[in-house]
Amino acid sequence: MTRKKVPQPADSQLRKTLSGPDWWRSLEELADTEEFRAYLQREFPVQASEWLQCSRRDFLSIMGASFILAGLNGCDLHQPAEDIVPAVHQVNQNHSEGPLFFNTAIELSGSVLGLTVESQMGRPIKIEGNPQHPISRGATNVFAQAATLNLYDPDRLQNFHRNQKLVAQNSWTRELQALRSHFDETNGAGLRILTQTSTSPTQLRLLHRVVARWPEARWYCYEPVNDDQRRSGTALALGTEAATLQPVHDLKAADVILSVDDDFLQARDQPLHQIREFAERRRIAGREEPSRAFKPNRLYALATAPTLTAAKADHALRTDPGTIVSLLTSIARELGVEFLNEQDQQRVDQRAPARSTRTAVWLKRVVSDLKKAGANCLVTAGREQPPLVHALVHVLNSQLKNDGVTTHFYPSMQNRPDTGVSDTDMLRALTDEMQSGQVKDLFILGGNPVFDAPADIPFSAALNEVPRSYALTSVPTETSQRCLWSIPDRHFLERWGDVRSVEGTASIVQPLISPLYSGISALELLGILVEESDQGYQLVRETWSDQLGREPAAEAWSQALAEGLIPGTALQPVSPALADSVSRQISAAMKEYVEEFQADPNRLTLSFRPDPAIWDGRFINNGWLQELPKPLSTLTWDNTAWLSVGDAERRDLKNGDLIIISDGEQECTLPVWIMPGQPDGCITTTLGYGRSVTGRVGSKTGFNIYPMRTSLQMWFRPAVMVTKTQKRYSLAATQLHHLMEGKHLVRSGTWSEYQNNPERPEFAHPPSPLPESSFYEDWPYEGHRWGMTIDLTACVGCAACMVACQSENNIPVVGKQQVILNREMHWIRVDTYYEGAEADPSQTLSQPVPCMHCEDAPCEVVCPVAATTHSEEGLNQMVYNRCVGTRYCSNNCPYKVRRFNFLDFSEKAFEDPSLHLLTNPDVTVRSRGVMEKCTYCVQRIEENKIRAQREDRALHDGEIVTACQSACPAQAIQFGDLNLPGSRVKEGREHALNYSLLEELNTKPRTTYLAEVTNPHPGDDS
């Protein structure tokens, strides 16, 4: 494929004027191939008239797994009455009137988010962030938004199984009683417990009770996405006792940030408040202080793969993992670090490729800005980086004296039996004991080590040597299938628990629904084992009895439940110093590093990352997450091997080609995806796919790459070979869907350009052929006039808004084959635009696109049955029962935001009443042949209008919050009344950076954008 710039249309002065920078969305668009031009000329999506491109069996499997829900037959009717407390902002004693909101928390790989969950008729419906929680601050991520689908997943393990055969729950009770007597006799010899990473104080207390009661028992911890590298690097730089410390960053105090392959803007397991703090230091509109007194931060990124953080960086340097240490040590020397060994430096530099002029300039600017910022700077490293890199980052931060300013150290909240032992070492020790016959009873409390253990730790084979094994799991897994007992785990919305966030704040996890099926939580299992209690409520109350009281109606307990956090539990940071042995330790680590990353031009480095949708594989049966277009690549339903443009061309590879990746011993097969910004010499892929035992949604999706991952090479596998096969694999990507080709779609400029003309910056307002005033007077909306602004400077492209919209508005899952046919149903999409060279884009920008709710809506005038109309408040409405499916409106929409139900995706909703457990009762479930789109969450608008009317008052600014706005961790979305003086949305609408998408069409959108403002080094404003 010949690459070239997208040509400017010579025959249209209008398009030439409005074309703006050479933004492009895909390599096909940049190449401007004949196939791409033919694609743009289609009136409707490819195969729009086709019905099924898959078997009826496959279709019903996808639809059934997405929607069919088991009834309440398995509910535990013997649970004692336990009071849960609504959030203080919505205390409603009459549970029959309207929704209730309860505060709780969710945990992922030791990372905690505080949540506020809406409950209607006794069932959780919608999850939001708890605004009082110090980490979530009202925002959420995709995993929290999709948690309700996990709760109502029909493939959940619903009953106890022994040898894969159904048994009654009392059989399990008798089994535990017999085991307890046996452990008393043997002092716990042969008893082993394997847990995932958790911060639960109650779990830690119970595990200590197990070990205290039976001293011969052992507890181990393993998580495939773990912090082993960070802990080892901290111990290397700050001393072994510092391995228990967790760095927490204050981005609002950072003027300059250097990210060393740290994707802290990915909104997954990282502390979510970092995104808001980062955005606040860049946001221009809506600031209290005048813009002339404000200076945005500057972000530098060293990246071994395209990430959201690298995309947002003012200066990103994409490089091979083997060059990271060479670059960091050069920065350290320029900053005055004296103890680095010159011989070690030379050895590292020799292994790294020769530095280009661009790299040298990048390094010079980084050093200059770090020196200038001093303590108000931050250097941070990603979990994938080896301990040496983490140690060097600690050295740099110490040299810059930012401890207590932008870097704070807190004692780690993660429960660990031995803080000095890594997760992989613990799993290896357990496996060795299993192989030697020392393990008689193995409790696996969550996780799936048969699937995700490192390839050089034979956990699966060793499990055969364990006479009695017990797997606590929410869905069938490879591990539960191999264990003697499969025990149904309860969803966090069905159980009591407690967690602690990264800086120590504790939250009570309270259930919002009676357990749908028989089962038990990890806390209850441990409580029964040590004869304390079989009720999670009592176990958690006991843990916090001294602080929150023992009485059932204790005010402190009710307050903690209502607020979603326990006051006074946040910890004070500590200030560790560099260890005396840091020079010697770093020197030794550098020698090992050089041996590992040896340059070989014929081989590549394979990088492993957690998948942004299914994480380590635990969410593979969640249809919302599987169908979520992954940030940047927009792929769904699969994992791939990201290759650079150059590496793909040298090997004659195209998207979808199947390749074999091998190191001579292990190999895996993956489809190719050519990724803009992927560094040469690297392959990046994600974990979790290729599951052999899971539910209907997750089966037969993706490729398993865990066999390539070893305990010593958990994140990078140097020197792998790539072999092209003659096979191809069908991939479902949305990057070519819903194109708005040839217009000035996104607008971006620099801070200096904005300062030169803050009243009307040219990059936000290019020359337009439209007249200054309209020929017609605007319609006088005398009541409310709803509008939305989206700040592209703040948006990081995390896609939390997409899942939030899907959860709120009953948007169906359509399946991989339907996505390939351009039939995904998301009401909001996140477009990614690139500027610059295909191999190394100079800028990457994310732009959420919902319905624009145009004043002069092109969709309304072409509907023959008036199914799409304009409301008296300016909303572009859809009357579903009037729509006959002509699709004229979709064809006439220049923004391509309308979605058509080609198939009866929601058919099961009318057949199974239990679907009401998942669906939002305030939103209509649409049927086949109906067009749908973003409604500005009209149900939320009407609900708040009715409440204000009942209370005989006017609506407050910010009282109505759309689902996408509520989820956004960067607060990039503002919604409100444009007729309300001083409203935030009105201020954004009137800001100098505000522009309308495709404004030359004169559709007068109610959704507008604030142009992105970057802050590059003064020497490079491009």
Side-chain angles (χ1 to χ4, degrees):
M1 182 184 295
T2 304
R3 314 286 182 187
K4 62 180 180 179
K5 285 285 187 182
V6 179
Q8 297 284 355
D11 59 342
S12 173
Q13 184 62 35
L14 172 62
R15 289 184 63 183
K16 185 173 182 180
T17 302
L18 296 171
S19 61
D22 289 327
W23 293 102
W24 46 277
R25 282 183 58 180
S26 67
L27 294 175
E28 291 82 357
E29 180 179 358
L30 185 62
D32 195 29
T33 61
E34 292 183 5
E35 293 83 359
F36 180 76
R37 289 195 291 270
Y39 177 89
L40 292 176
Q41 293 172 1
R42 292 189 58 90
E43 178 178 0
F44 293 109
V46 178
Q47 295 177 307
S49 60
E50 306 297 327
W51 192 68
L52 284 177
Q53 295 295 315
C54 59
S55 70
R56 180 176 175 85
R57 179 185 297 273
D58 289 343
F59 172 73
L60 291 178
S61 175
I62 292 292
M63 293 302 100
S66 302
F67 289 120
I68 299 176
L69 304 174
L72 299 178
N73 296 334
C75 285
D76 187 348
L77 303 179
H78 304 289
Q79 284 286 111
E82 298 162 350
D83 287 336
I84 56 177
V85 180
V88 290
H89 66 274
Q90 177 97 19
V91 176
N92 184 352
Q93 298 301 325
N94 187 349
H95 289 206
S96 64
E97 294 185 6
L100 289 173
F101 296 86
F102 296 84
N103 284 325
T104 185
I106 188 174
E107 184 174 44
L108 171 67
S109 298
S111 178
V112 172
L113 272 184
L115 304 178
T116 298
V117 184
E118 178 184 353
S119 177
Q120 295 208 37
M121 296 173 286
R123 57 192 175 93
I125 292 297
K126 184 65 175 66
I127 293 177
E128 310 285 5
N130 181 357
Q132 300 182 77
H133 196 274
I135 300 301
S136 59
R137 301 186 186 179
T140 49
N141 57 22
V142 296
F143 301 129
Q145 287 295 332
T148 52
L149 185 54
N150 292 331
L151 171 65
Y152 301 121
D153 184 354
D155 292 329
R156 281 179 61 186
L157 191 64
Q158 301 177 19
N159 294 285
F160 292 82
H161 290 76
R162 191 178 193 277
N163 284 326
Q164 305 305 311
K165 296 180 180 179
L166 183 67
V167 296
Q169 183 165 354
N170 56 10
S171 298
W172 167 247
T173 304
R174 291 194 298 269
E175 177 85 4
L176 270 186
Q177 291 171 349
L179 282 174
R180 187 167 55 233
S181 300
H182 171 68
F183 296 152
D184 285 337
E185 294 174 1
T186 63
N187 215 17
L191 169 60
R192 300 294 183 268
I193 299 175
L194 179 64
T195 67
Q196 293 178 285
T197 301
S198 176
T199 62
S200 168
T202 300
Q203 185 198 70
L204 182 62
R205 180 177 66 81
L206 292 172
L207 285 167
H208 283 165
R209 283 202 60 184
V210 169
V211 177
R213 178 167 178 170
W214 302 304
E216 296 296 324
R218 297 288 182 272
W219 159 40
Y220 297 101
C221 177
Y222 174 71
E223 187 89 29
V225 180
N226 56 57
D227 282 340
D228 285 353
Q229 308 280 57
R230 179 193 58 78
R231 281 190 291 265
S232 298
T234 302
L236 191 153
L238 306 178
T240 55
E241 67 282 354
T244 60
L245 297 181
Q246 170 81 34
V248 179
H249 305 304
D250 184 358
L251 271 67
K252 65 179 179 294
D255 296 333
V256 176
I257 304 168
L258 171 58
S259 166
V260 184
D261 216 20
D262 183 12
D263 194 10
F264 61 85
L265 297 180
Q266 43 99 340
R268 297 306 189 264
D269 70 319
Q270 295 271 13
L272 207 59
H273 70 279
Q274 293 183 152
I275 296 179
R276 177 174 293 191
E277 292 177 352
F278 176 82
E280 285 300 320
R281 283 299 312 269
R282 295 177 83 84
R283 193 192 319 273
I284 296 174
R287 304 195 65 84
E288 294 182 0
E289 69 269 27
S291 58
R292 62 179 179 273
F294 164 72
K295 183 177 180 180
N297 59 20
R298 181 170 298 142
L299 173 60
Y300 292 90
L302 266 175
T304 62
T307 63
L308 293 179
T309 302
K312 205 66 181 174
D314 300 294
H315 298 282
L317 183 63
R318 300 169 176 90
T319 185
D320 182 272
T323 66
I324 294 288
V325 169
S326 175
L327 296 170
L328 274 185
T329 51
S330 295
I331 293 173
R333 284 182 172 274
E334 292 297 323
L335 291 176
V337 177
E338 299 178 351
F339 62 75
L340 293 175
N341 186 291
E342 185 173 348
Q343 185 178 3
D344 293 336
Q345 176 76 52
Q346 292 176 354
R347 187 183 294 113
V348 169
D349 290 343
Q350 288 173 358
R351 289 291 189 270
R355 291 177 186 170
S356 64
T357 302
R358 179 175 178 271
T359 300
V361 171
W362 188 91
L363 286 172
K364 183 178 180 181
R365 290 174 177 173
V366 169
V367 172
S368 172
D369 277 349
L370 289 176
K371 285 182 177 179
K372 189 178 300 183
N376 291 105
C377 73
L378 173 64
V379 185
T380 175
R383 74 150 59 81
E384 296 85 3
Q385 288 299 311
L388 174 59
V389 171
H390 286 274
L392 289 171
V393 164
H394 288 308
V395 169
L396 288 173
N397 284 326
S398 175
Q399 183 73 14
L400 294 164
K401 297 180 173 55
N402 60 30
D403 184 19
V405 182
T406 61
T407 302
H408 305 276
F409 288 91
Y410 290 88
S412 175
M413 294 294 100
Q414 297 179 5
N415 300 339
R416 301 183 64 77
D418 189 337
T419 57
V421 180
S422 68
D423 280 30
T424 51
D425 286 343
M426 281 192 279
L427 188 66
R428 184 183 297 278
L430 173 60
T431 303
D432 291 343
E433 292 179 346
M434 292 160 62
Q435 288 178 316
S436 64
Q438 299 179 50
V439 182
K440 305 301 180 184
D441 296 276
L442 174 62
F443 286 84
I444 304 174
L445 305 185
N448 190 11
V450 168
F451 173 71
D452 55 35
D456 58 334
I457 299 179
F459 183 90
S460 178
L463 192 58
N464 295 328
E465 307 301 323
V466 180
R468 295 176 297 275
S469 52
Y470 315 88
L472 181 69
T473 180
S474 57
V475 293
T477 65
E478 291 80 354
T479 301
S480 67
Q481 189 182 56
R482 296 280 309 282
C483 287
L484 176 66
W485 280 86
S486 296
I487 308 164
D489 191 11
R490 288 180 175 163
H491 191 274
F492 79 92
L493 293 175
E494 298 175 319
R495 67 178 183 233
W496 288 94
D498 52 359
V499 291
R500 299 192 73 164
S501 60
V502 66
E503 37 66 77
T505 298
S507 298
I508 302 297
V509 178
Q510 60 176 330
L512 273 78
I513 190 172
S514 296
L516 297 178
Y517 316 115
S518 61
I520 194 171
S521 70
L523 298 186
E524 290 167 343
L525 190 153
L526 293 171
I528 296 172
L529 204 58
V530 297
E531 294 185 286
E532 181 172 321
S533 174
D534 63 351
Q535 301 300 323
Y537 174 80
Q538 296 296 338
L539 295 168
V540 176
R541 285 297 301 260
E542 178 61 28
T543 301
W544 298 100
S545 58
D546 291 341
Q547 191 161 347
L548 301 179
R550 296 180 180 273
E551 296 299 323
E555 182 179 350
W557 171 261
S558 298
Q559 181 95 4
L561 292 181
E563 295 182 356
L565 47 89
I566 301 176
T569 51
L571 302 177
Q572 292 298 316
V574 298
S575 299
L578 290 178
D580 295 336
S581 60
V582 62
S583 176
R584 174 171 48 81
Q585 296 279 9
I586 286 181
S587 179
M590 288 176 72
K591 294 175 183 177
E592 295 179 5
Y593 184 85
V594 168
E595 294 299 323
E596 181 179 2
F597 287 95
Q598 294 190 18
D600 187 338
N602 298 318
R603 298 197 175 200
L604 306 176
T605 298
L606 177 62
S607 300
F608 307 100
R609 302 282 172 124
D611 192 86
I614 68 167
W615 199 238
D616 55 7
R618 70 185 68 187
F619 301 119
I620 198 168
N621 208 51
N622 189 303
W624 291 350
L625 295 175
Q626 282 268 40
E627 201 154 286
L628 175 70
K630 303 180 199 298
L632 301 179
S633 72
T634 73
L635 283 160
T636 65
W637 292 98
D638 276 300
N639 59 337
T640 58
W642 287 3
L643 264 71
S644 70
V645 174
D647 285 336
E649 289 182 345
R650 283 187 287 272
R651 291 164 174 79
D652 190 27
L653 294 171
K654 298 179 177 62
N655 286 344
D657 285 347
L658 281 176
I659 59 173
I660 297 174
I661 302 174
S662 171
D663 64 347
E665 297 180 1
Q666 301 286 342
E667 66 178 33
C668 66
T669 301
L670 281 169
V672 167
W673 188 259
I674 304 172
M675 192 67 191
Q678 174 74 5
D680 284 339
C682 303
I683 306 173
T684 301
T685 188
T686 57
L687 308 168
Y689 281 97
R691 294 277 301 276
S692 60
V693 180
T694 183
R696 286 165 285 179
V697 170
S699 62
K700 299 179 182 179
T701 57
F703 299 82
N704 183 12
I705 64 165
Y706 277 111
M708 294 293 294
R709 206 172 180 230
T710 68
S711 57
L712 296 179
Q713 296 171 328
M714 292 284 282
W715 300 108
F716 297 107
R717 195 73 187 266
V720 298
M721 299 174 290
V722 171
T723 305
K724 180 181 179 181
T725 70
Q726 299 305 311
K727 299 178 180 179
R728 290 184 54 78
Y729 183 80
S730 180
L731 294 169
T734 64
Q735 70 175 2
L736 289 180
H737 300 181
H738 320 301
L739 291 176
M740 301 175 289
E741 182 267 340
K743 306 293 195 302
H744 195 127
L745 303 177
V746 289
R747 304 186 185 180
S748 175
T750 66
W751 172 242
S752 62
E753 289 174 332
Y754 173 77
Q755 286 183 304
N756 290 337
N757 187 9
E759 300 301 323
R760 190 175 175 82
E762 293 183 3
F763 63 84
H765 304 283
S768 172
L770 295 177
E772 290 294 329
S773 59
S774 174
F775 292 108
Y776 305 97
E777 293 184 4
D778 292 336
W779 185 266
Y781 292 92
E782 298 178 355
H784 301 294
R785 187 164 65 102
W786 305 114
M788 176 180 286
T789 61
I790 302 176
D791 190 346
L792 300 185
T793 302
C795 177
V796 298
C798 70
C801 55
M802 294 184 68
V803 186
C805 177
Q806 187 162 22
S807 174
E808 171 74 17
N809 293 295
N810 303 330
I811 298 174
V813 174
V814 303
K816 176 180 176 179
Q817 191 61 39
Q818 295 299 305
V819 174
I820 292 175
L821 299 179
N822 296 27
R823 294 177 180 176
E824 67 273 11
M825 295 297 293
H826 297 112
W827 286 5
I828 183 172
R829 69 178 189 267
V830 179
D831 291 340
T832 301
Y833 289 92
Y834 301 94
E835 185 183 10
E838 55 191 5
D840 190 13
S842 58
Q843 192 174 355
T844 305
L845 195 151
S846 297
Q847 178 178 254
V849 185
C851 175
M852 297 291 114
H853 290 271
C854 308
E855 297 276 11
D856 299 334
C859 58
E860 295 175 4
V861 296
V862 296
C863 182
V865 293
T868 178
T869 59
H870 223 65
S871 79
E872 62 182 8
E873 296 176 349
L875 295 181
N876 179 251
Q877 302 176 132
M878 275 300 306
V879 184
Y880 296 132
N881 61 1
R882 189 182 293 171
C883 179
V884 296
T886 63
R887 291 176 283 165
Y888 296 161
C889 58
S890 178
N891 188 44
N892 217 39
C893 173
Y895 306 100
K896 303 308 173 190
V897 292
R898 289 174 165 260
R899 302 291 175 262
F900 183 68
N901 283 271
F902 284 92
L903 304 176
D904 207 341
F905 298 122
S906 58
E907 176 185 2
K908 300 300 178 182
F910 303 104
E911 297 179 356
D912 194 334
S914 62
L915 233 190
H916 291 291
L917 292 171
L918 174 64
T919 56
N920 185 349
D922 296 331
V923 180
T924 303
V925 177
R926 286 75 61 190
S927 59
R928 185 184 182 193
V930 169
M931 186 68 68
E932 58 186 69
K933 64 168 192 68
C934 161
T935 65
Y936 274 168
C937 290
V938 65
Q939 67 279 3
R940 296 191 176 199
I941 295 175
E942 295 303 319
E943 177 186 353
N944 283 276
K945 285 171 58 179
I946 292 170
R947 180 182 298 114
Q949 186 178 15
R950 283 180 175 178
E951 298 172 2
D952 193 24
R953 62 173 176 82
L955 281 168
H956 305 309
D957 181 34
E959 185 174 354
I960 301 173
V961 181
T962 63
C964 57
Q965 176 188 4
S966 177
C968 181
Q971 290 190 311
I973 302 173
Q974 294 294 336
F975 175 81
D977 189 352
L978 293 171
N979 280 346
L980 181 62
S983 67
R984 282 172 288 184
V985 69
K986 183 177 178 65
E987 290 178 354
R989 185 69 173 248
E990 295 173 349
H991 197 274
L993 291 172
N994 187 265
Y995 70 95
S996 299
L997 194 61
L998 303 182
E999 62 185 9
E1000 65 272 18
L1001 301 181
N1002 204 29
T1003 58
K1004 301 178 183 176
R1006 283 286 182 87
T1007 301
T1008 58
Y1009 295 86
L1010 296 171
E1012 183 182 53
V1013 177
T1014 61
N1015 185 26
H1017 190 278
D1020 182 12
D1021 281 354
S1022 62

